[in-house]
Amino acid sequence: MRKIPGLFVAVLAAAALMVGCASNDTQPANYGVVKSINPTTESSSGLNAGTLIGGAIGGLAGHQVGSGRGNTAATVAGAVGGAVIGTQVDKDSKSKEYKIGVRMQDGTFVTINQKGSVADLRVGQRVKVEDGQVYPV
């Protein structure tokens, strides 16, 4: 049986130790500078839960008024009014979304869609882009 030289064993042990200490982070944080911050506008058909529920409640409330043609007019007016109010309530309850333009260290330009507040971000500020979010540095 051959003996393995001590130096060879030491090199293998050192290599194993270095590999064990290596980071598993496959997506390192990228740094850049904010070039633009713009609120986005949602493109929707205008028909949403708030519109439907508001229209139904408004129509039911309007139907309670009058009789005959007056009742029909009140039902239609209630449905339209309820739909308008429901649409506005639904729109106000959604969180704001922003398009943030960032010039990265490597010269590339990325645009990040980020929900919530961007009060802590300013144009010209150095930032970190990680997991699709922009963070101040």
Side-chain angles (χ1 to χ4, degrees), residues 118-131:
V118 292
D120 54 345
L121 296 175
R122 301 278 182 259
V123 173
Q125 181 179 21
R126 189 165 185 267
V127 293
K128 174 174 66 169
V129 177
E130 187 173 50
D131 297 327

Side-chain angles (χ1 to χ4, degrees), residues 42-114:
E42 292 187 68
S43 59
S44 69
S45 64
L47 190 62
N48 52 46
T51 304
L52 296 174
I53 293 169
I57 292 172
L60 289 172
H63 188 69
Q64 303 303 313
V65 178
S67 61
R69 287 186 187 169
N71 179 266
T72 303
T75 301
V76 170
V80 170
V84 169
I85 292 169
T87 300
Q88 189 60 44
V89 169
D90 195 49
K91 190 184 299 182
D92 290 344
S93 68
K94 291 186 178 173
S95 65
K96 303 286 184 194
E97 188 170 318
Y98 297 88
K99 286 189 180 290
I100 304 169
V102 179
R103 174 72 61 197
M104 304 305 291
Q105 282 178 325
D106 64 3
T108 60
F109 189 84
V110 297
T111 302
I112 306 292
N113 291 328
Q114 186 161 314

Side-chain angles (χ1 to χ4, degrees), residues 4-55:
I4 299 175
L7 181 58
F8 182 70
V9 172
V11 169
L12 281 178
L17 183 61
M18 283 187 216
V19 170
C21 293
S23 173
N24 287 337
D25 190 11
T26 58
Q27 186 180 19
N30 295 307
Y31 295 91
V33 176
V34 175
K35 293 298 180 182
S36 63
I37 302 173
N38 297 306
T40 62
T41 55
E42 292 187 68
S43 59
S44 69
S45 64
L47 190 62
N48 52 46
T51 304
L52 296 174
I53 293 169

